[in-house]
Amino acid sequence: MFEDSLIESKKRPQSKVKLLILPIALGLHAVALLAVVAGQLWAVEELPEPTIQVSFYAAPPPPPPPPPPPPPKAAPAPVQQAPVNAPVVQPKEIPQEIPKGSSGGGGVEGGVEGGVEGGEMGGVVGGVPGGVPGLPTPVIVEDAPIRVGGPVSAPELIKRINPEYPEVARKARIQGVVILEAIIDKEGNVTNVRVLRGLPMGLSEAAQNALMRWKFKPALMNDRPVSVYYTLTVTFTLQ
């Protein structure tokens, strides 16, 4: 009886120790696993500097310009009537005063007797500066931008600035093509940049900001600088 109770008292502490070892081991494994997962989540891989390719695409040549308007018709020359030869009659009495001849109706003081070829009744002697009175003054219209092609030469790039790759887009590994259309004015400056095809996470804005700082030699038409539309393609690539 005494031996049985002694054996049972030795077995009880050993069973409690064994029960505590298992949860302690599971807890240590769980902590180690969480540490490994957290380390992988916080670790940021350093990415190499991406390459950015910029391509130019010229639009198809525009249709031929419309024919010029017909020249204005010249005013018809006034018809001069031949003087009528009246019979010469000898006067019976010599008049005391010779009557002055009156000019024809519609004459102008200081004008030319018989009129001027191409003139008109009531005209101004010497003409009117700036054209014919009554006609509207011509309005000078600024040349609108045109497409490159045909007689219009393409602008030449003088200064180029590469766009910056946004860090957010680089970590998300976003890459692709951004297509832009801009107007290159007569001084070779880039204006009115708009996105025809864009990319998220600031890539479209980066391409626009870089293009606005480019400088070109203006396009020419008949050796005269003109404003043109131009299409550019910026390719963002991660190595």
Side-chain angles (χ1 to χ4, degrees):
M1 184 67 180
F2 177 75
E3 293 178 357
D4 294 338
S5 62
L6 181 60
I7 293 173
E8 289 180 1
S9 63
K10 291 182 179 180
K11 289 181 179 181
R12 287 176 184 174
Q14 293 178 359
S15 60
K16 290 181 180 180
V17 172
K18 290 182 180 180
L19 292 176
L20 292 175
I21 291 175
L22 181 59
I24 292 173
L26 292 176
L28 292 176
H29 282 79
V31 171
L33 183 60
L34 289 175
V36 172
V37 173
Q40 292 180 353
L41 291 176
W42 284 101
V44 179
E45 181 183 358
E46 184 177 356
L47 300 176
E49 188 68 22
T51 58
I52 301 174
Q53 300 176 357
V54 180
S55 308
F56 297 89
Y57 287 90
K73 296 182 179 180
V79 179
Q80 298 181 0
Q81 297 181 354
V84 179
N85 296 325
V88 178
V89 179
Q90 184 177 1
K92 296 180 181 181
E93 297 179 0
I94 299 175
Q96 297 296 329
E97 295 181 358
I98 300 176
K100 297 181 180 180
S102 61
S103 59
V108 180
E109 183 178 356
V112 180
E113 184 178 356
V116 179
E117 184 178 358
E120 59 181 18
M121 188 68 68
V124 180
V125 179
V128 178
V132 181
L135 294 180
T137 305
V139 179
I140 300 175
V141 180
E142 187 70 19
D143 295 337
I146 56 180
R147 297 285 179 182
V148 176
V152 183
S153 63
E156 299 180 8
L157 181 61
I158 300 176
K159 178 183 177 182
R160 169 179 172 177
I161 297 177
N162 290 328
E164 297 180 359
Y165 214 117
E167 191 66 23
V168 178
R170 182 188 301 180
K171 289 183 178 180
R173 303 196 67 82
I174 302 296
Q175 54 186 350
V177 175
V178 175
I179 301 178
L180 304 174
E181 184 183 66
I183 295 177
I184 302 176
D185 60 15
K186 298 177 182 180
E187 286 75 27
N189 300 318
V190 180
T191 60
N192 296 5
V193 180
R194 65 189 187 100
V195 179
L196 301 181
R197 177 182 174 186
L199 290 174
M201 296 190 178
L203 292 176
S204 298
E205 290 77 6
Q208 282 182 292
N209 295 335
L211 181 57
M212 288 293 295
R213 293 181 289 170
W214 286 21
K215 185 68 176 179
F216 287 84
K217 182 180 179 181
L220 299 178
M221 183 176 69
N222 299 329
D223 296 332
R224 183 173 63 92
V226 292
S227 300
V228 294
Y229 291 103
Y230 215 70
T231 305
L232 303 99
T233 300
V234 180
T235 304
F236 292 90
T237 306
L238 290 172
Q239 293 181 352

